[in-house]
Amino acid sequence: DGRVSSVSVQQLIEQISCMNKAKMIDHVGGVEDGAYEIYNYVEKIIKQDILGCEMTDLEGKDLGNKEDSTAPEEEVFGDVLWDAHDEREQMEAFQQASNSTCELGFEKYFERLNDLVAAPAPIPPLLVSGGPGSGKSLLLSKWIQLQQKHSPNTLILYHFVGRPMSTSSESALIIKRLTLKLMQHSWLVSPLTFDPAKLLEEFPRWLEKLSARHQGSIIIIIDSIDQIQQAEKHMKWLIDPLPVNVRVIVSVNVETCPQAWRLWPTLHLDPLNSKDVKSLISAECNSANVKLTKEQEKKLERHCRSATTCNALYVTLLGKTIACVGNTGNIDEILQQCCQCQDTVSLYRLVLRSIQESLQSDKEKGLLREILCVIGVSHNGVSESELMELYPELTSAVLASLLHSLHKMCLLTYGCGLLKFQHLQAWEMVKLEYMEGGENVISAYRQKLVEYFTMQLRVLIFICFSFNSQDRVTWRSADELPWLFQQQGDKQKLHKCLLNLFVSQNLYKRGHFAELLSYWQLVGKDKSSMAAEYFDSLKEYEKSSEGEESMICLADLYETLGRFLKDLGLLSQAVAPLQRSLEIRETALDPDHPRVAQSLHQLAGVYVQWKKFGNAEQLYKQALEISENAYGAEHPRVARELDALATLYQKQNKYEQAEQLRKKSFKIRQKAARQKGSLCGFALLRQRALQLEELTLGKDTPDNARTLNELGVLYYLQNNLETAELFLKRSLEMRERVLGSDHPDCAQSLNNLAALYNEKKHYDKAEELYEKALDIRRRALAPDHPSLAYTVKHLAVLYKKMGKLDKAVPLYELAVEIRQKSFGPKHPSVATALVNLAVLYCQMKKQIEALPLYERALKIYEDSFGQMHPRVGETLKNLAVLSYERGDFEKAAELYKRAMEIKEAETLLIGGKATSRHSSSGDTFSLKSALPPNALLEHGQR
């Protein structure tokens, strides 16, 4: 009733009000409303402060729909569909893997991992191998923590694969997540394909492109990579040469490691020695105040000597088992039972039976069996509330007691609010103990889940029609139901489930495009049939839609369908649903509503891929105008429209207009990031600013010089060029005094200053500094060093920009030479360098010199990517232009025809996605458009 209910609550409120990291929500009303309000607030905190998503606050502007006060969930990363649930699952997996306090003598392994990072490129992935439960995940997570602490300039991307067949083991989702994390760290706003085959094919190019933007090392870690479905087929990028600043570490089980990977450098985890075994068991016993006698310790030491009894998981489980019964039972008796268990699965069976014996009734034992089996057959786990709905006789007291025992003994764990098996061996044990009937028993439990989630779906749809709710399908129904039908082999029900528009919408909006596509392939439908069936279902649904809320929801469904068809490459079919979405929103809301801008933006995207640039420009401009009126001129949504227009102008070779829009967009994003304080190092900038006084008064040291360099880079990111110049100059002067003017660190400062002057269009100053940096690096570094290649590239581009083509030629030739030494003569990177040099020769009217370079590049591309790859098409087009200019019209026509065939084939495959265009009058890519300003600056290495 609005009053404080007790003195203790009053004291709590007073304590909270004094804290700066607490939020008190004052609510009067029903419990459910209060819980909903808290949920919304916590969700906002997670998205904005933890995941760094852009939340849209309209600051009280009346836009006719209260739900538009925040950005639709799928748009928090621009046009990229991102599943916050998948990201949270990875964060939890990392925390779980690293929660052991026992290091198990990992120091020797840490040294080997550190050596890998420091080794000269190119270097193949490192294989961390060991038996099941040997501590691979623990080792990698502990090493990641050390790297994050001691090497803040190193970007570490990790993925912990869970159980086979779970979402975390789907190759397309893993590659998409890694690509998006790279894009996020490089501030790149760029379209990303959703076609799983294309995504896997393009990842090496994304990795090369984005690694070039990162000034420091990039380490990619994939734990339990052998659990990925068809790992060898879908992870083919691992066998290609990696970019010079990228290192890859993967862990595998010895038994399931693909044969081809066994040739890689391998770090094998040895069995635990007697000292580690004793330490691990003692830690578990001490936590329960259990003391072992000397005789008992010796018995355990003798037992834990075989390969299957001295791994980390077995010994941990053994210690927990002894500690659990130590205070209440006979330790010698349990020790005797444990010594009869010769592997982890049999020890798990002993643990389960001891839990069964502790239960008071057969009913509780039956519930224990049901809980473990239903969790095991699910896709991603089961929640506590779902278990209680599945088994109404299960009370919360019994469930809490069971889960406490199962969690304590490492059988179950929590992930994203779902109960799942902590280790694969625990699930193997449950199958042996409870599922002697094999597939028939598994199928029965899956059927129970099918019935449950089918009922949930019906209830949700009934609620949505009764109360106009837009939350028609939860992510749980969408995750579990289609997958269960797939596992059961019930194509008819799977087909029907996919035609539930809300199930498909939920999967698509959360970025599970590959999963959705695989379901359709299973039911035997091609892309066109799929599109037609979705459209028919939508038309049918539209007949029953009445009222504003239903029509708004209908518009969302049409938009989702349009985007899905665009991603499939069905451009002509994508226009109709997007157009219908636009019409509904204009009618149901208002022509100036932000959701209308969203429709315009998506429709324009289709026209861009379709090469109908005039239509696209008109739609983008309308979307920009609506967004500026709705949100204000400096909102991230406005930046999004500016970026889209800039990309469009770039495709039309309107580089000056594109550059103006990109700068405007970049300033908006910087301002938004500064306000939020959670992106791109601005928090670091504020911390560094506190050290300025110390730096000013302190001694000249290499560390202080490095800090000044980093401050210069960070001010550059804020577009504060004058302040950035001061810090970069001071860094250079200090380095010259402390280290000498020929030290490689001085070359780094010279490079950064040159990049800054280049940005300010002071080309003469930039040229002088780049030349000094090149001179130092040529004398100090190896001929194929990435820092040397960096300076060579940027000085060559500057010479070209200044019209000094004769000076640019030897540097472009040197770039070819460096890439050949780094990657070998037949690597695609060499072909790209050859094309750059050929382009330059064409600008100098030296077509004879350009011809063999193009031909060699074409051969490399064909050998590396195949005859129909876009890069082959681009090079053929350049050769066609060259042949035309030399008067060989017949050859030019033949080459151009081949190029167009590749282009048409690409349009059919990926929906007309525009690829980079190389012509005889321009470089392979525009440096200005391909790299953000901060990519031109080098951070100091720690």
Side-chain angles (χ1 to χ4, degrees):
D1 59 359
R3 292 181 306 209
V4 174
S5 57
S6 68
V7 175
S8 59
V9 172
Q10 181 63 49
Q11 289 172 345
L12 177 65
I13 291 172
E14 287 171 2
Q15 286 178 314
I16 289 173
S17 62
C18 299
M19 297 170 67
N20 62 0
K21 283 198 175 182
K23 170 70 178 177
M24 184 172 68
I25 298 174
D26 192 1
H27 173 74
V28 179
V31 175
E32 289 186 2
D33 290 340
Y36 183 70
E37 192 171 330
I38 293 166
Y39 174 88
N40 283 339
Y41 188 84
V42 172
E43 183 182 43
K44 183 178 177 184
I45 290 293
I46 289 170
K47 285 184 179 177
Q48 189 167 331
D49 295 349
I50 299 175
L51 297 180
C53 305
E54 293 177 6
M55 300 300 290
T56 306
D57 187 354
L58 300 181
E59 298 177 354
K61 290 197 177 190
D62 181 16
L63 297 171
N65 189 336
K66 65 179 181 180
E67 290 193 7
D68 280 293
S69 60
T70 57
E73 185 174 344
E74 73 275 13
E75 290 171 35
V76 290
F77 286 95
D79 280 335
V80 176
L81 301 175
W82 176 277
D83 190 358
H85 171 269
D86 289 346
E87 189 58 28
R88 178 179 153 206
E89 184 179 46
Q90 282 302 308
M91 286 190 257
E92 289 185 6
F94 172 67
Q95 292 300 327
Q96 183 183 314
S98 59
N99 65 8
S100 171
T101 55
C102 193
E103 295 293 337
L104 303 174
F106 280 166
E107 290 78 9
K108 60 182 178 182
Y109 301 130
F110 291 156
E111 288 177 16
R112 178 73 188 278
L113 291 168
N114 292 337
D115 290 343
L116 169 84
V117 176
I123 184 169
L126 177 72
L127 210 61
V128 176
S129 74
S134 56
K136 301 181 292 295
S137 302
L138 176 61
L139 168 67
L140 291 176
S141 58
K142 292 289 186 184
W143 185 71
I144 289 170
Q145 289 177 326
L146 288 173
Q147 286 291 313
Q148 289 172 335
K149 181 179 179 181
H150 298 301
S151 304
N153 285 334
T154 299
L155 173 60
I156 300 177
L157 305 177
Y158 59 80
H159 189 91
F160 287 81
V161 178
R163 204 180 67 181
M165 307 294 288
S166 67
T167 301
S168 66
S169 68
E170 290 176 13
S171 55
L173 279 177
I174 294 170
I175 294 300
K176 191 186 88 168
R177 178 177 172 270
L178 294 175
T179 307
L180 290 177
K181 297 296 280 185
L182 279 167
M183 290 169 69
Q184 197 181 359
H185 281 277
S186 62
W187 270 39
L188 182 70
V189 180
S190 182
L192 187 66
T193 180
F194 284 88
D195 185 318
K198 201 73 180 172
L199 192 65
L200 294 166
E201 180 192 322
E202 289 184 354
F203 181 68
R205 275 178 277 161
W206 276 111
L207 188 58
E208 187 172 347
K209 180 180 179 181
L210 296 171
S211 64
R213 295 166 176 257
H214 183 72
Q215 301 303 317
S217 298
I218 297 174
I219 301 173
I220 298 175
I221 296 171
I222 305 178
D223 180 48
S224 301
I225 192 171
D226 49 327
Q227 301 295 339
I228 294 172
Q229 301 156 30
Q230 297 180 293
E232 204 168 357
K233 175 185 174 184
H234 294 314
M235 296 287 151
K236 284 193 289 190
W237 60 274
L238 288 169
I239 62 176
D240 294 332
L242 298 165
V244 289
N245 60 334
V246 175
R247 301 290 182 272
V248 174
I249 302 169
V250 298
S251 75
V252 293
N253 277 336
V254 177
E255 300 90 353
T256 54
C257 176
Q259 194 62 39
W261 297 359
R262 295 174 189 262
L263 301 174
W264 294 344
T266 302
L267 172 62
H268 186 75
L269 268 61
D270 299 324
L272 298 184
N273 58 39
S274 56
K275 180 184 172 185
D276 289 332
V277 168
K278 184 178 178 180
S279 168
L280 206 50
I281 292 174
S282 296
E284 293 295 343
C285 290
N286 291 340
S287 67
N289 293 319
V290 173
K291 294 289 183 185
L292 297 177
T293 66
K294 293 287 183 185
E295 186 58 39
Q296 288 167 343
E297 285 181 353
K298 285 180 182 177
K299 189 171 185 178
L300 283 170
E301 187 183 327
R302 285 195 299 272
H303 174 61
C304 297
R305 284 180 178 173
S306 71
T308 55
T309 60
C310 62
N311 67 63
L313 177 58
Y314 183 94
V315 176
T316 301
L317 195 56
L318 183 61
K320 285 181 180 291
T321 306
I322 295 167
C324 190
V325 298
N327 287 322
T328 57
N330 187 328
I331 292 181
D332 286 324
E333 185 182 336
I334 194 66
L335 207 53
Q336 185 63 35
Q337 292 174 359
C338 288
C339 288
Q340 293 171 8
C341 302
Q342 294 302 315
D343 57 39
T344 308
V345 172
S346 59
L347 187 56
Y348 261 129
R349 181 175 274 184
L350 176 65
V351 167
L352 179 62
R353 287 177 179 172
S354 68
I355 293 173
Q356 286 175 328
E357 288 169 9
S358 69
L359 300 177
Q360 297 175 353
S361 67
D362 290 341
K363 180 183 174 183
E364 288 182 2
K365 291 176 184 177
L367 286 169
L368 172 64
R369 171 190 177 126
E370 295 298 302
I371 288 170
L372 291 173
C373 290
V374 85
I375 289 171
V377 301
S378 66
H379 188 196
N380 290 313
V382 180
S383 72
E384 290 182 34
S385 59
E386 287 166 351
L387 283 173
M388 294 187 72
E389 288 175 353
L390 278 161
Y391 302 100
E393 68 274 24
L394 180 63
T395 64
S396 21
V398 170
L399 179 62
S401 175
L402 288 173
L403 294 183
H404 173 72
S405 300
L406 293 167
H407 186 266
K408 181 181 176 182
M409 299 308 294
C410 300
L411 273 96
L412 295 183
T413 187
Y414 288 90
C416 295
L418 301 178
L419 289 157
K420 50 187 76 177
F421 285 101
Q422 192 160 334
H423 297 282
L424 199 56
Q425 294 93 322
W427 169 227
E428 292 297 325
M429 177 275 297
V430 167
K431 284 194 286 189
L432 289 171
E433 185 75 3
Y434 289 141
M435 297 183 166
E436 292 177 354
E439 279 302 317
N440 290 337
V441 178
I442 291 174
S443 181
Y445 279 108
R446 281 190 182 138
Q447 188 57 36
K448 189 171 184 68
L449 283 176
V450 164
E451 289 168 6
Y452 170 76
F453 283 112
T454 302
M455 182 57 67
Q456 291 292 103
L457 208 56
R458 287 174 187 155
V459 170
L460 284 163
I461 291 172
F462 171 76
I463 290 171
C464 87
F465 278 116
S466 302
F467 302 103
N468 285 326
S469 166
Q470 293 206 30
D471 298 325
R472 287 170 163 77
V473 172
T474 66
W475 64 274
R476 291 292 296 134
S477 300
D479 264 9
E480 294 290 334
L481 206 49
W483 183 85
L484 288 164
F485 286 137
Q486 181 193 46
Q487 296 303 306
Q488 295 285 67
D490 195 334
K491 294 182 182 181
Q492 189 176 353
K493 287 184 179 176
L494 175 60
H495 187 203
K496 187 177 178 182
C497 181
L498 293 173
L499 288 176
N500 181 313
L501 300 166
F502 303 107
V503 170
S504 295
Q505 183 187 47
N506 188 288
L507 284 170
Y508 176 77
K509 281 192 169 187
R510 289 169 41 237
H512 291 225
F513 179 88
E515 186 181 345
L516 187 56
L517 205 54
S518 70
Y519 293 146
W520 275 105
Q521 287 167 350
L522 183 68
V523 297
K525 300 289 181 180
D526 61 19
K527 293 178 182 180
S528 297
S529 304
M530 187 196 324
E533 290 193 27
Y534 270 138
F535 205 72
D536 290 343
S537 294
L538 254 177
K539 286 289 184 186
E540 199 61 36
Y541 175 73
E542 186 171 355
K543 292 176 184 176
S544 61
S545 297
E546 293 179 5
E548 185 179 301
E549 288 291 326
S550 291
M551 294 306 290
I552 291 168
C553 177
L554 179 66
D556 290 344
L557 286 169
Y558 270 118
E559 183 189 292
T560 302
L561 176 58
R563 293 178 70 173
F564 181 54
L565 297 179
K566 182 184 80 169
D567 292 334
L568 286 170
L570 304 173
L571 299 184
S572 56
Q573 288 101 314
V575 170
L578 288 173
Q579 189 70 48
R580 183 68 187 127
S581 171
L582 175 61
E583 291 166 3
I584 293 170
R585 284 173 175 168
E586 285 179 331
T587 307
L589 297 169
D590 186 84
D592 293 325
H593 194 281
R595 283 185 179 267
V596 173
Q598 166 70 8
S599 288
L600 291 165
H601 179 94
Q602 295 300 337
L603 191 55
V606 175
Y607 284 127
V608 169
Q609 285 194 357
W610 217 349
K611 305 292 187 297
K612 297 188 175 183
F613 296 137
N615 300 34
E617 182 177 1
Q618 183 185 354
L619 294 169
Y620 276 141
K621 283 181 174 178
Q622 284 178 264
L624 176 62
E625 185 181 348
I626 292 170
S627 297
E628 284 178 334
N629 290 335
Y631 301 115
E634 295 188 337
H635 194 275
R637 287 293 185 86
V638 174
R640 176 190 178 210
E641 302 304 338
L642 291 169
D643 280 327
L645 262 174
T647 303
L648 177 64
Y649 286 143
Q650 190 175 325
K651 289 179 186 296
Q652 297 174 280
N653 299 329
K654 298 177 181 178
Y655 297 116
E656 192 173 334
Q657 289 169 272
E659 189 60 28
Q660 288 173 354
L661 294 176
R662 284 206 191 284
K663 283 186 175 179
K664 194 175 175 183
S665 165
F666 192 65
K667 286 180 180 177
I668 293 171
R669 292 183 187 279
Q670 282 181 324
K671 186 175 180 181
R674 285 199 298 275
Q675 288 169 348
K676 190 160 51 185
S678 63
L679 288 180
C680 208
F682 290 108
L684 175 63
L685 178 60
R686 285 199 291 274
Q687 292 168 20
R688 289 286 196 231
L690 297 175
Q691 301 172 5
L692 286 178
E693 187 175 352
E694 181 186 338
L695 279 170
T696 307
L697 302 174
K699 297 177 181 177
D700 287 355
T701 66
D703 277 349
N704 279 351
R706 185 184 64 248
T707 302
L708 287 166
N709 178 70
E710 289 179 358
L711 274 166
V713 171
L714 289 167
Y715 274 113
Y716 185 98
L717 287 172
Q718 286 186 299
N719 209 30
N720 189 341
L721 300 185
E722 303 308 318
T723 308
E725 185 178 353
L726 287 173
F727 282 117
L728 292 172
K729 277 184 172 178
R730 285 179 59 196
S731 171
L732 174 61
E733 290 162 3
M734 191 179 290
R735 281 173 165 171
E736 286 178 337
R737 286 196 297 271
V738 175
L739 303 169
S741 58
D742 290 337
H743 195 276
D745 284 3
C746 293
Q748 184 192 59
S749 293
L750 288 164
N751 246 315
N752 289 345
L753 265 174
L756 185 140
Y757 287 134
N758 188 28
E759 175 69 14
K760 294 171 78 173
K761 295 187 169 49
H762 297 169
Y763 298 134
D764 290 336
K765 285 184 178 179
E767 179 186 5
E768 182 187 350
L769 295 173
Y770 271 138
E771 285 175 343
K772 283 184 181 178
L774 180 60
D775 182 53
I776 294 170
R777 285 181 164 172
R778 265 182 159 159
R779 284 184 280 114
L781 303 176
D784 59 346
H785 196 282
S787 295
L788 176 61
Y790 176 92
T791 307
V792 166
K793 179 174 78 172
H794 290 294
L795 181 56
V797 171
L798 180 65
Y799 280 149
K800 192 174 168 192
K801 190 188 293 183
M802 296 171 74
K804 298 182 178 182
L805 303 185
D806 289 331
K807 277 190 164 186
V809 168
L811 292 180
Y812 274 109
E813 289 173 341
L814 182 57
V816 173
E817 195 179 314
I818 290 172
R819 291 197 186 190
Q820 285 183 151
K821 285 178 180 174
S822 297
F823 303 114
K826 296 182 179 180
H827 193 271
S829 294
V830 175
T832 302
L834 290 166
V835 169
N836 289 345
L837 181 56
V839 165
L840 185 65
Y841 278 138
C842 287
Q843 280 189 274
M844 298 169 74
K845 307 300 181 190
K846 294 184 176 181
Q847 281 84 358
I848 295 172
E849 287 88 341
L851 182 61
L853 298 174
Y854 274 134
E855 288 173 341
R856 186 181 159 199
L858 178 63
K859 179 75 167 63
I860 294 172
Y861 283 145
E862 285 178 335
D863 291 345
S864 301
F865 301 128
Q867 299 279 339
M868 297 301 288
H869 195 275
R871 290 198 193 181
V872 173
E874 291 157 4
T875 312
L876 285 167
K877 191 175 175 185
N878 287 343
L879 275 168
V881 172
L882 199 59
S883 299
Y884 185 86
E885 288 174 351
R886 296 179 66 203
D888 192 345
F889 302 128
E890 190 176 334
K891 187 176 180 182
E894 181 189 336
L895 291 167
Y896 191 77
K897 183 184 176 187
R898 270 192 67 197
M900 287 302 99
E901 285 171 357
I902 294 171
K903 189 70 180 171
E904 285 166 13
E906 183 195 3
T907 303
L908 290 172
L909 283 170
I910 61 168
K913 181 182 170 199
T915 54
S916 57
R917 297 230 171 180
H918 308 164
S919 70
S920 59
S921 60
D923 211 336
T924 308
F925 57 85
S926 161
L927 180 74
K928 199 72 179 170
S929 60
L931 297 175
N934 58 303
L936 302 176
L937 297 174
E938 300 177 22
H939 291 269
Q941 298 294 322
R942 289 191 185 277

